[in-house]
């Protein structure tokens, strides 16, 4: 895991200020950024522009993944995919199509690096 560069730290600090509505803050523009292996543990990435950012190998534990178009086309690795799949599979939805999609993701979701701590998703469970 690599430490963030001073520039990356500044971007995230300014983003935190922006989220708090501090006039000195600026929304994080990480479009196309190379964040390979970056330590983003606990980073609040809400509303950050991560489009096409390389997040392979990054630590996103306890961070906030943006659920808007700003995270489209982010480049991730299997570890992050499994983490996202795990969280998606642990949501509760009564729609049969969603439940089928969750069942199809269980195998990869159970490869989440914190599955021992959070619990394995069993085959007999409703997704």
């Amino acid at each position: 895991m690599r430490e963030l560069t001073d520039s990356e730290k500044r971007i995230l600090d300014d983003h935190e200020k922006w989220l708090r509505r501090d006039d000195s803050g600026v929304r994080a523009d990480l479009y196309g950024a190379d964040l390979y292996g970056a330590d983003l543990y606990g980073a609040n990435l809400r509303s950050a522009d991560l489009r096409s950012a390389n997040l392979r190998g990054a630590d996103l534990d306890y961070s906030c993944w943006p659920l808007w178009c700003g995270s489209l086309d982010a480049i991730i690795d299997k570890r992050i995919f499994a983490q996202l799949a795990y969280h998606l599979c642990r949501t509760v939805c009564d729609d049969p199509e969603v439940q089928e999609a969750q069942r199809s993701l269980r195998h990869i979701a159970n490869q989440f690096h914190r599955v021992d701590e959070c619990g394995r998703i069993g085959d007999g469970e409703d997704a």
Side-chain angles (χ1 to χ4, degrees), residues 44-64:
N44 187 347
L45 300 171
R46 183 172 51 101
S47 298
D49 187 352
L50 294 173
R51 289 173 298 148
S52 299
N54 181 1
L55 296 167
R56 287 179 282 207
D59 182 356
L60 294 171
D61 283 0
Y62 298 99
S63 64
C64 179

Side-chain angles (χ1 to χ4, degrees), residues 35-37 40 50 53-58 60 65 74-77 80:
L35 297 169
Y36 181 88
L40 294 169
L50 294 173
N54 181 1
L55 296 167
R56 287 179 282 207
L60 294 171
W65 184 267
I75 302 163
I76 62 174
D77 58 14
I80 294 171

Side-chain angles (χ1 to χ4, degrees), residues 16-34:
E16 279 289 335
K17 292 176 188 173
W18 180 79
L19 289 171
R20 290 193 312 268
R21 300 177 195 262
D22 182 322
D23 289 340
S24 67
V26 178
R27 183 167 94 179
D29 181 1
L30 296 166
Y31 180 89
D34 185 6

Side-chain angles (χ1 to χ4, degrees), residues 61-124:
D61 283 0
Y62 298 99
S63 64
C64 179
W65 184 267
L67 292 176
W68 69 289
C69 295
S71 64
L72 297 178
D73 301 321
I75 302 163
I76 62 174
D77 58 14
K78 185 177 179 182
R79 181 179 188 264
I80 294 171
F81 186 89
Q83 185 171 10
L84 292 170
Y86 184 88
H87 285 271
L88 186 61
C89 287
R90 291 295 301 260
T91 62
V92 177
C93 181
D94 62 1
D95 183 88
E97 189 175 13
V98 170
Q99 292 172 349
E100 180 58 33
Q102 288 174 312
R103 280 190 289 278
S104 72
L105 286 172
R106 281 187 186 148
H107 176 73
I108 191 100
N110 279 325
Q111 295 175 47
F112 172 39
H113 62 279
R114 295 183 57 221
V115 75
D116 291 337
E117 176 185 344
C118 297
R120 191 170 170 76
I121 301 168
D123 292 333

